[in-house]
Structure formats: C-alpha cells, structure tokens
Amino acid sequence: MKQPFINFEEHIDRVVGRRTQAPDPLSLRPGDKADAVAWRDALGGIRVARGVYRFHTHEEADEWLWKTISRPTPT
C-alpha cells in the first residue's frame, strides 16, 4: 500500500469555514436592553411586584401570575 505524501513544511493560508459562537442569552447588549424597555412600555410597565413567592404547584403559580398580569392598571 502506498503511503500518502504529506508536506509538513507547506503553509496553508485558506480558511474554508468559520465557527460561530451561539449568542449569550444573559448578555446585556444595548439592543437587547432597548428591546426590553420597548416591550415594557408597550405592555404598560411591570405589573408583578418584586419579591419571593412560594406556591405548592406550578399550576397555582401560573394562575396567580396570569391574574396578576391581566388585572387592570390602577389610575
């Protein structure tokens, strides 16, 4: 069987493809923050009070969240 010829002194300058990195979902780029502010303003601000809430089930938490989000805004 014939061995393939490999020239280790040859320098290859071409790049066939480039690897792309997945975007970091936790980054705070200016565009992402501006989008978040636009969504908040469009939806009428934050309607869920900050804090820690404890629920017995996910269904109970979802029900509370939907009630909190869909309540009318105080004027």
Side-chain angles (χ1 to χ4, degrees):
M1 186 162 153
K2 187 176 179 181
Q3 293 291 331
F5 175 74
I6 300 174
N7 184 0
F8 290 107
E9 296 175 2
E10 180 181 5
H11 179 69
I12 301 173
D13 292 332
R14 290 187 274 169
V15 176
V16 176
R18 296 195 185 275
R19 292 182 185 252
T20 59
Q21 293 180 345
D24 183 14
L26 301 177
S27 70
L28 292 176
R29 294 184 327 208
D32 293 341
K33 190 169 184 179
D35 291 343
V37 169
W39 275 106
R40 186 185 67 210
D41 293 343
L43 296 175
I46 299 173
R47 296 187 179 184
V48 178
R50 293 181 181 169
V52 177
Y53 301 94
R54 295 179 188 232
F55 302 98
H56 293 288
T57 63
H58 288 286
E59 289 78 19
E60 183 182 349
D62 290 340
E63 182 181 347
W64 175 85
L65 181 63
W66 280 109
K67 282 182 184 177
T68 305
I69 290 175
S70 61
R71 72 177 182 234
T73 57
T75 54

